[in-house]
Amino acid sequence: MSFNFSRTLILQRLADGQFHSGEVLGQELGLSRAAVSKHIKGLCELGLDIFRVTGKGYRLAKSLTLLEHRKIAQLLPQVMQSQINVQNVIDSTNQFIRDMNVKPSNGYVCLAEAQTAGRGRRGRTWVSPYGSSIYMSMFWSFAGGYQAINGLSLVIGIAVVKALQTLSVKGAMLKWPNDVYLQDKKLAGILVEVEGQMGAACDCILGVGLNIDLPKKALNIDQPWTDLVQATGLTIDRNVLAATLIDELTKALTIFETQGLRPFISQWAELDYFYDKPVKLMIGNQCVYGKVKGIDNDGALLLEKDGKIETFHGGEISVRPA
Ligand code: BTN
């Protein structure tokens, strides 16, 4: 029995949020009590909140619904079911797709319970504790090459908000180019990684990290964040959310592939959290101050500066006071 397999079996038992004695767990899984204790320590290192009470055993601080391929697949059309790969603990779902030996088909998805090297935009780390978020990447290749992906990351953001709306989460908005905000804090981030030669198809790995119920102990996250449970009090089934995200992303990308950004411009306007607000745009080491005036037809940011509208294709909006 491999180390990770033992951990998975222990976690499947602890997922009910009840006490399980180390002795019984050991007997059921053919492990010594010391081995059980070592695996529990390993699970805690992945961000799980497990505590031990003498005479009762181990317990998860709250019950946990694990991701299951079967539960996600049954909510999706048959053609998509074999396109979903649910992993346990991996470095990064984006990296998993990048490392595949065979190029996947459009819509192929990798989901994980935890990431040990989750990536954010601009070289940042995406903190990825076990079982508390959605960590998901989808593959899509655009035959039209680089010019066919203008505005792609905005479209992913819109699809994420639509998935949330489908599940009755109200009030999610977007910060250009693609952060999802809820109640003034970041709820989800999107990382688009692109590979392709000029004049050839453009292969994209579209990563989404969406906070659901992060551990309340100190997490090393460098900006104000929220999660769905904290912000809405709703009980979220991650399998249902994963399936809804896959469905919305697939629908949006199918439209985007043939029609580009045009059908999404009015949707962006409805979800543009910082429209008409003063912001600071960081471009490398430079700062530009202005008022957000939406996007152009390529998805570039429009900022009003000294009474004139200027267009910006890159950079990061900061809402912190100048
Ligand atoms: C951001 O900085 O806002 C983007 C965060 C993107 C995180 C997701 S989690 C799934 C996928 N795999 C990764 O390593 N990163 C993305």
Side-chain angles (χ1 to χ4, degrees), residues 119-122 124-126 151-162 164 171-192 207-211 221-226 267-268 270-275 279-282 295 299 301 315-320:
R119 299 200 277 270
R121 294 177 69 224
R122 310 187 151 248
R124 288 194 283 250
T125 298
W126 189 257
L152 170 62
S153 66
L154 283 68
V155 171
I156 309 297
I158 292 169
V160 171
V161 173
K162 276 196 160 183
L164 292 168
M173 302 285 276
L174 292 163
K175 180 182 95 164
W176 185 89
N178 53 19
D179 282 350
V180 180
Y181 265 57
L182 188 60
Q183 298 174 0
D184 223 20
K185 293 182 191 131
K186 182 158 168 173
L187 175 74
I190 290 158
L191 176 69
V192 175
V208 179
L210 196 161
N211 304 332
I221 302 179
D222 62 356
Q223 54 190 316
W225 59 270
T226 190
Q267 296 173 43
W268 176 270
E270 279 169 30
L271 299 173
D272 188 351
Y273 188 45
F274 291 105
Y275 187 81
V279 296
K280 174 166 85 174
L281 181 71
M282 301 287 303
I295 55 169
L301 178 72
E316 182 117 330
I317 287 182
S318 162
V319 283
R320 293 161 199 156

Side-chain angles (χ1 to χ4, degrees), residues 85 87 90-101 108-110 119 205:
N85 187 331
Q87 293 287 314
I90 55 174
D91 51 359
S92 147
T93 54
N94 270 33
Q95 192 60 40
F96 183 92
I97 293 188
R98 189 179 275 227
D99 290 343
M100 286 172 71
N101 291 328
Y108 182 90
V109 166
C110 173
R119 299 200 277 270
I205 301 171

Side-chain angles (χ1 to χ4, degrees), residues 92-305:
S92 147
T93 54
N94 270 33
Q95 192 60 40
F96 183 92
I97 293 188
R98 189 179 275 227
D99 290 343
M100 286 172 71
N101 291 328
V102 179
K103 183 165 150 173
S105 354
N106 284 356
Y108 182 90
V109 166
C110 173
L111 285 146
E113 289 286 15
Q115 299 182 120
T116 52
R119 299 200 277 270
R121 294 177 69 224
R122 310 187 151 248
R124 288 194 283 250
T125 298
W126 189 257
V127 177
S128 308
Y130 197 102
S132 51
S133 294
I134 293 283
Y135 313 116
M136 179 179 120
S137 301
M138 180 177 277
F139 178 85
W140 207 280
S141 181
F142 293 89
Y146 278 95
Q147 62 270 44
I149 62 163
N150 278 340
L152 170 62
S153 66
L154 283 68
V155 171
I156 309 297
I158 292 169
V160 171
V161 173
K162 276 196 160 183
L164 292 168
Q165 288 170 344
T166 305
L167 300 178
S168 304
V169 176
K170 296 186 181 75
M173 302 285 276
L174 292 163
K175 180 182 95 164
W176 185 89
N178 53 19
D179 282 350
V180 180
Y181 265 57
L182 188 60
Q183 298 174 0
D184 223 20
K185 293 182 191 131
K186 182 158 168 173
L187 175 74
I190 290 158
L191 176 69
V192 175
E193 294 182 320
V194 181
E195 264 178 38
Q197 308 290 326
M198 288 312 267
C202 198
D203 294 343
C204 299
I205 301 171
L206 315 162
V208 179
L210 196 161
N211 304 332
I212 297 188
D213 192 8
L214 292 182
K216 298 302 168 267
K217 62 183 172 199
L219 291 170
N220 196 11
I221 302 179
D222 62 356
Q223 54 190 316
W225 59 270
T226 190
D227 63 37
L228 277 183
V229 170
Q230 183 183 314
T232 67
L234 293 170
T235 304
I236 305 289
D237 182 328
R238 289 183 306 135
N239 291 299
V240 176
L241 179 49
T244 312
L245 278 170
I246 294 169
D247 187 42
E248 288 297 343
L249 280 172
T250 308
K251 284 197 283 202
L253 289 166
T254 306
I255 296 172
F256 178 71
E257 186 170 48
T258 51
Q259 300 177 48
L261 190 60
R262 195 180 39 79
F264 297 92
I265 301 244
S266 61
Q267 296 173 43
W268 176 270
E270 279 169 30
L271 299 173
D272 188 351
Y273 188 45
F274 291 105
Y275 187 81
D276 227 15
K277 292 189 185 132
V279 296
K280 174 166 85 174
L281 181 71
M282 301 287 303
I283 311 168
N285 291 331
Q286 296 208 313
C287 290
V288 181
Y289 296 91
K291 211 184 241 188
V292 174
K293 288 290 171 187
I295 55 169
D296 73 4
N297 289 340
D298 289 330
L301 178 72
L302 300 175
L303 274 191
E304 186 184 84
K305 271 181 70 203

